[in-house]
Amino acid sequence: MFTVGALDAYFCDAYTDLVAATVSSKSRQPTITLPEWVYDIKFPIRAILEEYDHANWRWRMAARKMMERENVLSLSTIQALFNKFFRKGHKFFRDLLDTWISRPDSKIRLFGVSRGDYLAMADADKRAARENAGDRLEDRFRTIFQRRHDCIHNCDRPRMMPQPLDKGSTVLKVVQDVEYFVNRCDEHIALEFRQFLVGIGCSAATIARTGY
């Protein structure tokens, strides 16, 4: 439960950072051209009208307030929030599977195929393996998120009886999978957001002030 809560907090904070950095970049450099969807983001009025020691803090606080009651406990929600910032061909999650499966620390339970077997495949087989890996990744996290929900809201009783923890290191494996997933996403967000800022016309000085 703590691990899934940390995942939720990470993605909420990461989205807050992207939104705040985007709007504050526009404030610092009015000549940049924001995509239309940015203008549809709804900020709490109170957070914008508060007095702050630093002008651009209003955007960070407004974005934080916006996400205060949200959660991102589904892969589709994560995709909907972040993929707008990413280039075509670099979207969460299927565009990234070739790189993720090829890492030495990838797990069969996440992707349904080992790194060694995947790297030895012909291109056609790799495409099929990635299609299956996308489904496996979604199933794995759907199960993790649902188990967390059952533990918190139903005392781990989704139907008629408590769920077993009958396999060794069950909790440890969940922690490892969440850690792997969040670390890979964090690396990708940092890379793609910089590309996003360059694409909307931010100068090097503006990008440096966003922290990316």
Side-chain angles (χ1 to χ4, degrees):
M1 289 185 286
F2 285 135
T3 300
V4 175
L7 177 149
D8 183 24
Y10 164 75
F11 282 108
C12 286
D13 288 350
Y15 183 70
T16 294
D17 285 346
L18 298 193
V19 171
T22 298
V23 180
S24 62
S25 294
K26 178 68 171 177
S27 178
R28 293 187 182 106
Q29 187 182 336
T31 56
I32 68 176
T33 303
L34 297 179
E36 280 300 314
W37 56 262
V38 173
Y39 294 99
D40 293 330
I41 296 174
K42 296 177 174 61
F43 290 112
I45 296 296
R46 179 181 294 276
I48 294 175
L49 295 180
E50 291 286 346
E51 294 293 330
Y52 299 99
D53 292 336
H54 303 286
N56 282 299
W57 262 100
R58 76 177 63 256
W59 305 118
R60 185 167 296 279
M61 298 307 295
R64 181 178 295 174
K65 196 74 174 175
M66 175 184 68
M67 293 299 292
E68 202 170 65
R69 301 193 178 203
E70 301 295 328
N71 72 70
V72 293
L73 295 182
S74 76
L75 296 196
S76 61
T77 301
I78 296 170
Q79 289 171 312
L81 290 175
F82 289 92
N83 277 347
K84 295 175 182 178
F85 289 96
F86 300 163
R87 296 168 292 170
K88 183 178 180 180
H90 298 266
K91 308 285 190 181
F92 281 159
F93 293 98
R94 293 181 184 256
D95 290 345
L96 312 180
L97 290 176
D98 180 69
T99 300
W100 287 9
I101 299 170
S102 300
R103 290 179 54 91
D105 55 345
S106 68
K107 303 292 185 183
I108 293 178
R109 63 177 175 268
L110 280 178
F111 304 116
V113 62
S114 70
R115 173 180 183 267
D117 288 345
Y118 177 75
L119 293 177
M121 291 177 179
D123 288 345
D125 292 331
K126 282 185 176 179
R127 284 193 294 271
R130 286 195 298 273
E131 189 65 30
N132 179 66
D135 294 337
R136 285 289 293 264
L137 186 69
E138 291 176 9
D139 288 344
R140 175 63 172 158
F141 278 92
R142 187 181 301 113
T143 299
I144 290 172
F145 295 155
Q146 184 59 48
R147 187 69 181 270
R148 176 261 187 191
H149 176 87
D150 291 335
C151 287
I152 290 176
H153 298 288
N154 305 322
C155 298
D156 209 16
R157 293 170 65 90
R159 294 184 182 85
M160 299 301 294
M161 59 187 297
Q163 298 239 31
L165 289 172
D166 55 356
K167 297 180 180 179
S169 303
T170 298
V171 175
L172 177 60
K173 288 174 181 175
V174 169
V175 175
Q176 290 172 340
D177 290 351
V178 169
E179 183 178 29
Y180 178 93
F181 180 71
V182 169
N183 283 338
R184 301 293 76 73
C185 289
D186 187 61
E187 293 164 356
H188 189 68
I189 290 168
L191 174 64
E192 283 300 304
F193 187 58
R194 183 177 183 84
Q195 294 299 319
F196 171 79
L197 294 175
V198 170
I200 63 176
C202 289
S203 67
T206 298
I207 293 172
R209 295 185 69 184
T210 66
Y212 289 85

